[in-house]
Amino acid sequence: MPSTKRQADPSFDLEMNRTVTIEVKQLDRVVIRFAGDSGDGMQLTGDRFTAETASFGNDLSTLPNFPAEIRAPAGTLPGVSSFQLHFADHDILTPGDAPDVLIAMNPAALKANLGDVPRGATLIVDTADFTARNLKRVGYDENPLETGELDGYHVVPLNLTAMTVESVKEFGLTRKDASRAKNMYALGLVSWLFQRPVDTTITFLETKFASKPDIRDANIAAFRAGYNFGETAEEFSVRYEVKPAVMPTGTYRNISGNLALAYGLVTGAQRAGLPLVLGAYPITPASDVLHELSKLKRFNVTTIQAEDEIAGVGAALGASFGGALGVTTSSGPGISLKSETIGLGVMLELPLVVCDIQRAGPSTGMPTKTEQADLLQVMFGRNGEAPLPVLAAQSPADCFAIAVEAARIAVTYRTPVVVLSDGYLANGSEPWKIPVIEELPTIDPNFTLEPNATNDKGEPTYLPYLRDPETLARAWAIPGTAGLDHRIGGLEKEDKTGNISYDPANHDLMIRTRQAKVDGIAVDPITVDDPDGTAKVLVLGWGSTYGPIGAAVRRVRKVGGKIAQAHLRHLNPLPPNLGDILKSYEKVLVPEMNLGQLALLLRSKYLVDVVSYAQVRGMPLGAAELAGVIGNLVEETEGIDDDARHLGLAAASLKHGEAALSDELHQSEGAR
Amino acid sequence: MSTVELGMPSLPNGLRGVPAATEPQNRKEYVSDQEVRWCPGCGDYAVLAAFQGFLPELGIKRENVAMVSGIGCSSRFPYYLSTYGMHSIHGRAPAIATGLAVSRPDLSVWVVTGDGDALSIGGNHLIHTLRRNVNMKILLFNNRIYGLTKGQYSPTSEPGKVTKSTPMGSVDNPFNPVSLALGAEATFVARTVDSDRKHLTSVLREAAEHRGTAFVEIYQNCPIFNDNAFEAFKDPETRDDAIIPLVHGEPIRFGKEGRLGVVRDGFASLAVREVADLPNGEADLVVHDAHTDDPAYAFALSRLTDAGVLHRAPIGVFRSVERPAYDDLVRQQITTAQEAQGTGDLQSLVTGTDTWTVN
């Protein structure tokens, strides 16, 4: 049985002065979405609810969704910011397709999000801004709270702003400042509704506003008032309980993808015994990696906020030349600018970790929205034959392991390595079983310290491009090593000596050798989840689609479909057994948040006509929709003659699709 | 055996942190085994010879010298020196050298670049390196032309220049590299000429001794695509009137028989006058002070350079002031963090403070 460190907060002692008894309903899972103006603090509210939920021991998955504008005009649709959290008493894989509860802080938030919310869900609406003018501004001619258009929803209209102002009046704040605490009031209310432990939030507020006592006290007061309102008001006759999830034993924390990536990079450098030098230029959604690493100077981490993307990767490569682990972090537009320097890294054969936190493109695209359309850019977006290894994290916590793996490959093989993450992984979070650092393998930089060859005159000499016969990694001597001075550069190298060479045969040899080095990188075979080994359809993904694909596969299996699943974390080189696996299934479905980039690679490499499923909406794939696609393909492949396509439809419309089959027994009857 | 016993001078500030040579070195040790492939008569030969001759005098270990270059004729420089070297990509050498200098305080880092490499494609990296004051020495070989791509005008070519890409003459207004460096508040800015080995060597020495970015513009003749661009500074008939010598602490006086001098002229400007015409003669001349904190003075000096065809320009150290070097400050922050918080417990970092345990 799971045990949690904290239980529901005992400090909230309330007089039970209500007349209606509160019923507690058991739920196995809840999807909740906080939505408001970008200035309303919805991301913070979501983060706090997540922290409460994590400390309670639920499994969870989050999806922040916000505009690129820091403060779009208040009350408008483009200014709406939201944070969705899915939490459950069982293992879950996605932030959920549709919210069970929407907290809408203004008319714009209601309008922008209502389309995602199925009828039957609960809408908690702050009515303070539901004035004729504000309604009109977002396209409501009449107040939707009064027209009946919300029939079928459980609507809880509350003047949260007024109640917040009332709750903090003792602190003498202006009405504007007082109303700013409304997000904490709302957080308090939903914390009560779902029986979340609240002490982490109190501690957080005490720390965050330590230097501003009146703001601190007002936020804490609003938070408590919201909680107490739930307890005493008669709007709520039901509270919900989602029991802690059954998870493998261990110590857990909640972690976002960007933080996990930063920690993984430091861990990789430390396991290699190298200083880490990050060269980076601010760009959404990668900047948080720069922020996090800049706090870690004590771990021998240097961060250089460069003048541009090119200088960022240049400084990283320069540091690698000097014997550090050079790292650069960016998103697609920045990677475009770095391409030439990455190509130099390929030529110099120096370690370099390049992290591409993908966002929706092309060009500036949609900076805060997710996509995985940089795969072909990082594979091929350099002049000449410039192969390099490409890895992709599959979940927020997996960013840690992928970063360590990238450091291993970069240092061992002396090559630039690209790590692909994306906006969804970067900002999303999930529980992470904390690894024991000392148990992670060490990485050997294997610097060359002595001459490694003999010249024509029989004297000891150093050949910078003499290779390890196993890995084809070149001999790496760093400045300051006596007797091994040498010059390297972007011009073609002569084999072994590294001298400039225009010899045709040598160029052909070097091109093939660099390719062979990358092709020969040791990568674990891919494992396939095919429960009884009889599935005819394989669904193969890469990167952040892992969660939605896994959830969709569970849905299909629940309605009796046979489906195999595999997920790629290494995109170059691909796992050694991948070709055989692809050929052992009748159909291979490849869902991607691009127009079929992995599908293109698989078709060309293995001559397997995979089925591409492409969605590029700037949002993670929807599990239910994907389940429908998989179900239909399974049905078609199995030769089930059914025009109704019942398998896909059934998989798509399952209410509790995401729970694993083995967990079904745990599902409680109280679930909606 | 210590360096003192060998009679080696202690290392100047610019080389602090770099290990001293334990034995005297000679020029030959710094010559690599690579065949030099510049055009016959190229000014780069003279600079290379001066550099190879000067490096042993620095008294540092040869393996702790790192040369980083970009792309262009001059950027072949590292191949010809038996030190560590990287021939990188066009314009990026200062950025690459920044990463190297920040992570390796034990290296003497030199950037070799040209007018196209540093001022055109790499202009951004140059100005930001100068403003940060990273401890590296930048040698800008200015031949006022694109040589390696066979003769297009460069960002320092004079207006009206007829080249392969400007058959009707260039309409670009050129950069004055020294003015640009001073505008970026570089702490050490100098100019020298390829053919004057003595002056070149003395400027290189001062640059090496400076802590922070030292920017040295070297007038360098391209005999193939822009021959005689600096002829005024070399011809015995004209050079006395062409070269405005900058010597710290000396009045700025030049020309045949010292007939010319530099005086203050209006708001923050300087001008060249006949000394004989000045009311107080030499007493009215500006006494050069390279340590003037305000870059406006050095900037005014730099404006005495002809913008078009060169007939006259100041040569020497325009500015040499002290300001903390970026890489020293970066490393100091790491030291400060480690002193305050220890060298870091990685397990405790990744674990964080909000955890729960499943038994």
Side-chain angles (χ1 to χ4, degrees), chain A residues 10 100 121 146 205 317 322 332 350-351 368 383 405 430 450 489 531 596 598:
Chain A
D100 302 304
E146 294 161 1
L205 291 171
L317 188 62
L350 285 172
T368 57
N383 63 303
E405 172 75 348
E430 65 176 350
E450 302 286 341
L598 176 64

PDB file of all heavy atoms in Angstrom, chain A residues 10 100 121 146 205 317 322 332 350-351 368 383 405 430 450 489 531 596 598:
ATOM      1  N   PRO A  10      -4.662  18.949   8.844  1.00  0.00           N
ATOM      2  CA  PRO A  10      -5.399  18.967  10.101  1.00  0.00           C
ATOM      3  C   PRO A  10      -5.496  20.376  10.698  1.00  0.00           C
ATOM      4  O   PRO A  10      -6.203  20.591  11.677  1.00  0.00           O
ATOM      5  CB  PRO A  10      -4.565  18.073  11.008  1.00  0.00           C
ATOM      6  CG  PRO A  10      -3.170  18.200  10.485  1.00  0.00           C
ATOM      7  CD  PRO A  10      -3.261  18.595   9.037  1.00  0.00           C
ATOM      8  N   ASP A 100     -12.939  17.245 -16.220  1.00  0.00           N
ATOM      9  CA  ASP A 100     -14.131  16.979 -15.417  1.00  0.00           C
ATOM     10  C   ASP A 100     -14.555  18.241 -14.682  1.00  0.00           C
ATOM     11  O   ASP A 100     -15.712  18.398 -14.312  1.00  0.00           O
ATOM     12  CB  ASP A 100     -13.843  15.892 -14.383  1.00  0.00           C
ATOM     13  CG  ASP A 100     -13.367  14.604 -15.029  1.00  0.00           C
ATOM     14  OD1 ASP A 100     -14.092  14.082 -15.882  1.00  0.00           O
ATOM     15  OD2 ASP A 100     -12.253  14.155 -14.692  1.00  0.00           O
ATOM     16  N   ALA A 121     -19.768  17.831 -16.731  1.00  0.00           N
ATOM     17  CA  ALA A 121     -18.632  18.316 -15.962  1.00  0.00           C
ATOM     18  C   ALA A 121     -19.048  19.477 -15.059  1.00  0.00           C
ATOM     19  O   ALA A 121     -20.109  20.077 -15.239  1.00  0.00           O
ATOM     20  CB  ALA A 121     -17.525  18.765 -16.899  1.00  0.00           C
ATOM     21  N   GLU A 146     -26.981  32.625 -17.749  1.00  0.00           N
ATOM     22  CA  GLU A 146     -28.429  32.837 -17.614  1.00  0.00           C
ATOM     23  C   GLU A 146     -29.233  32.325 -18.801  1.00  0.00           C
ATOM     24  O   GLU A 146     -30.454  32.224 -18.728  1.00  0.00           O
ATOM     25  CB  GLU A 146     -28.702  34.345 -17.433  1.00  0.00           C
ATOM     26  CG  GLU A 146     -28.146  34.876 -16.115  1.00  0.00           C
ATOM     27  CD  GLU A 146     -27.984  36.397 -16.118  1.00  0.00           C
ATOM     28  OE1 GLU A 146     -28.325  37.024 -17.152  1.00  0.00           O
ATOM     29  OE2 GLU A 146     -27.503  36.935 -15.116  1.00  0.00           O
ATOM     30  N   LEU A 205       3.728  29.832  -0.024  1.00  0.00           N
ATOM     31  CA  LEU A 205       3.380  31.262   0.018  1.00  0.00           C
ATOM     32  C   LEU A 205       4.235  32.001   1.039  1.00  0.00           C
ATOM     33  O   LEU A 205       4.667  33.135   0.798  1.00  0.00           O
ATOM     34  CB  LEU A 205       1.891  31.428   0.345  1.00  0.00           C
ATOM     35  CG  LEU A 205       0.927  30.967  -0.764  1.00  0.00           C
ATOM     36  CD1 LEU A 205      -0.514  30.972  -0.258  1.00  0.00           C
ATOM     37  CD2 LEU A 205       1.060  31.839  -2.002  1.00  0.00           C
ATOM     38  N   LEU A 317      30.971  24.746 -27.871  1.00  0.00           N
ATOM     39  CA  LEU A 317      31.953  23.960 -28.620  1.00  0.00           C
ATOM     40  C   LEU A 317      33.374  24.356 -28.224  1.00  0.00           C
ATOM     41  O   LEU A 317      34.260  23.495 -28.116  1.00  0.00           O
ATOM     42  CB  LEU A 317      31.732  24.146 -30.130  1.00  0.00           C
ATOM     43  CG  LEU A 317      32.560  23.244 -31.047  1.00  0.00           C
ATOM     44  CD1 LEU A 317      32.248  21.764 -30.818  1.00  0.00           C
ATOM     45  CD2 LEU A 317      32.307  23.597 -32.511  1.00  0.00           C
ATOM     46  N   GLY A 322      38.232  22.685 -25.009  1.00  0.00           N
ATOM     47  CA  GLY A 322      39.066  22.800 -23.818  1.00  0.00           C
ATOM     48  C   GLY A 322      38.881  21.664 -22.824  1.00  0.00           C
ATOM     49  O   GLY A 322      39.487  21.684 -21.754  1.00  0.00           O
ATOM     50  N   GLY A 332      13.452  25.110 -32.051  1.00  0.00           N
ATOM     51  CA  GLY A 332      13.676  24.967 -33.489  1.00  0.00           C
ATOM     52  C   GLY A 332      14.325  26.145 -34.181  1.00  0.00           C
ATOM     53  O   GLY A 332      15.317  25.966 -34.910  1.00  0.00           O
ATOM     54  N   LEU A 350      34.110  16.478 -31.510  1.00  0.00           N
ATOM     55  CA  LEU A 350      34.188  16.854 -30.101  1.00  0.00           C
ATOM     56  C   LEU A 350      32.814  16.617 -29.475  1.00  0.00           C
ATOM     57  O   LEU A 350      31.791  16.718 -30.155  1.00  0.00           O
ATOM     58  CB  LEU A 350      34.548  18.335 -29.965  1.00  0.00           C
ATOM     59  CG  LEU A 350      35.997  18.718 -30.241  1.00  0.00           C
ATOM     60  CD1 LEU A 350      36.151  20.231 -30.261  1.00  0.00           C
ATOM     61  CD2 LEU A 350      36.940  18.099 -29.201  1.00  0.00           C
ATOM     62  N   PRO A 351      32.770  16.341 -28.159  1.00  0.00           N
ATOM     63  CA  PRO A 351      31.477  16.168 -27.492  1.00  0.00           C
ATOM     64  C   PRO A 351      30.710  17.484 -27.469  1.00  0.00           C
ATOM     65  O   PRO A 351      31.298  18.549 -27.265  1.00  0.00           O
ATOM     66  CB  PRO A 351      31.859  15.772 -26.061  1.00  0.00           C
ATOM     67  CG  PRO A 351      33.297  15.465 -26.082  1.00  0.00           C
ATOM     68  CD  PRO A 351      33.902  16.177 -27.243  1.00  0.00           C
ATOM     69  N   THR A 368       4.605  28.998 -27.755  1.00  0.00           N
ATOM     70  CA  THR A 368       4.253  28.312 -26.508  1.00  0.00           C
ATOM     71  C   THR A 368       3.521  27.002 -26.763  1.00  0.00           C
ATOM     72  O   THR A 368       3.091  26.352 -25.815  1.00  0.00           O
ATOM     73  CB  THR A 368       3.386  29.216 -25.617  1.00  0.00           C
ATOM     74  OG1 THR A 368       2.220  29.597 -26.365  1.00  0.00           O
ATOM     75  CG2 THR A 368       4.121  30.463 -25.188  1.00  0.00           C
ATOM     76  N   ASN A 383      24.894  21.224 -43.875  1.00  0.00           N
ATOM     77  CA  ASN A 383      25.477  21.001 -45.194  1.00  0.00           C
ATOM     78  C   ASN A 383      26.381  19.774 -45.176  1.00  0.00           C
ATOM     79  O   ASN A 383      26.981  19.457 -44.149  1.00  0.00           O
ATOM     80  CB  ASN A 383      26.258  22.246 -45.642  1.00  0.00           C
ATOM     81  CG  ASN A 383      27.432  22.539 -44.739  1.00  0.00           C
ATOM     82  OD1 ASN A 383      27.273  22.718 -43.548  1.00  0.00           O
ATOM     83  ND2 ASN A 383      28.619  22.573 -45.302  1.00  0.00           N
ATOM     84  N   GLU A 405      22.059  10.006 -20.996  1.00  0.00           N
ATOM     85  CA  GLU A 405      22.425   9.175 -22.152  1.00  0.00           C
ATOM     86  C   GLU A 405      23.122  10.022 -23.237  1.00  0.00           C
ATOM     87  O   GLU A 405      24.089   9.581 -23.862  1.00  0.00           O
ATOM     88  CB  GLU A 405      21.153   8.518 -22.719  1.00  0.00           C
ATOM     89  CG  GLU A 405      21.305   7.768 -24.021  1.00  0.00           C
ATOM     90  CD  GLU A 405      21.985   6.411 -23.900  1.00  0.00           C
ATOM     91  OE1 GLU A 405      22.561   6.128 -22.828  1.00  0.00           O
ATOM     92  OE2 GLU A 405      21.950   5.642 -24.881  1.00  0.00           O
ATOM     93  N   GLU A 430       5.296  15.249 -14.025  1.00  0.00           N
ATOM     94  CA  GLU A 430       4.777  13.955 -13.583  1.00  0.00           C
ATOM     95  C   GLU A 430       5.607  13.489 -12.390  1.00  0.00           C
ATOM     96  O   GLU A 430       6.707  13.987 -12.173  1.00  0.00           O
ATOM     97  CB  GLU A 430       4.861  12.933 -14.723  1.00  0.00           C
ATOM     98  CG  GLU A 430       6.293  12.622 -15.132  1.00  0.00           C
ATOM     99  CD  GLU A 430       6.388  11.541 -16.207  1.00  0.00           C
ATOM    100  OE1 GLU A 430       5.365  10.908 -16.499  1.00  0.00           O
ATOM    101  OE2 GLU A 430       7.485  11.336 -16.740  1.00  0.00           O
ATOM    102  N   GLU A 450      49.347  10.898 -23.764  1.00  0.00           N
ATOM    103  CA  GLU A 450      50.683  10.547 -24.248  1.00  0.00           C
ATOM    104  C   GLU A 450      50.606  10.392 -25.769  1.00  0.00           C
ATOM    105  O   GLU A 450      49.535  10.123 -26.314  1.00  0.00           O
ATOM    106  CB  GLU A 450      51.117   9.189 -23.657  1.00  0.00           C
ATOM    107  CG  GLU A 450      51.154   9.118 -22.143  1.00  0.00           C
ATOM    108  CD  GLU A 450      52.349   9.862 -21.565  1.00  0.00           C
ATOM    109  OE1 GLU A 450      53.316  10.102 -22.330  1.00  0.00           O
ATOM    110  OE2 GLU A 450      52.299  10.228 -20.378  1.00  0.00           O
ATOM    111  N   GLY A 489      40.090  21.735 -37.477  1.00  0.00           N
ATOM    112  CA  GLY A 489      39.243  22.761 -38.079  1.00  0.00           C
ATOM    113  C   GLY A 489      38.169  22.152 -38.951  1.00  0.00           C
ATOM    114  O   GLY A 489      37.997  20.934 -39.012  1.00  0.00           O
ATOM    115  N   PRO A 531       0.931  -8.020 -25.542  1.00  0.00           N
ATOM    116  CA  PRO A 531       0.636  -8.905 -24.408  1.00  0.00           C
ATOM    117  C   PRO A 531       0.595 -10.394 -24.752  1.00  0.00           C
ATOM    118  O   PRO A 531       1.228 -11.187 -24.079  1.00  0.00           O
ATOM    119  CB  PRO A 531      -0.715  -8.403 -23.917  1.00  0.00           C
ATOM    120  CG  PRO A 531      -0.730  -6.968 -24.309  1.00  0.00           C
ATOM    121  CD  PRO A 531       0.036  -6.887 -25.590  1.00  0.00           C
ATOM    122  N   GLY A 596       4.499  13.438 -40.631  1.00  0.00           N
ATOM    123  CA  GLY A 596       4.982  12.097 -40.953  1.00  0.00           C
ATOM    124  C   GLY A 596       6.491  12.023 -41.139  1.00  0.00           C
ATOM    125  O   GLY A 596       6.974  11.369 -42.058  1.00  0.00           O
ATOM    126  N   LEU A 598       8.934  10.777 -38.967  1.00  0.00           N
ATOM    127  CA  LEU A 598       9.494   9.462 -38.644  1.00  0.00           C
ATOM    128  C   LEU A 598       9.030   8.448 -39.686  1.00  0.00           C
ATOM    129  O   LEU A 598       9.799   7.573 -40.108  1.00  0.00           O
ATOM    130  CB  LEU A 598       9.069   9.003 -37.238  1.00  0.00           C
ATOM    131  CG  LEU A 598       9.546   7.586 -36.874  1.00  0.00           C
ATOM    132  CD1 LEU A 598      11.067   7.502 -36.824  1.00  0.00           C
ATOM    133  CD2 LEU A 598       8.941   7.121 -35.555  1.00  0.00           C
TER     134      LEU A 598
END
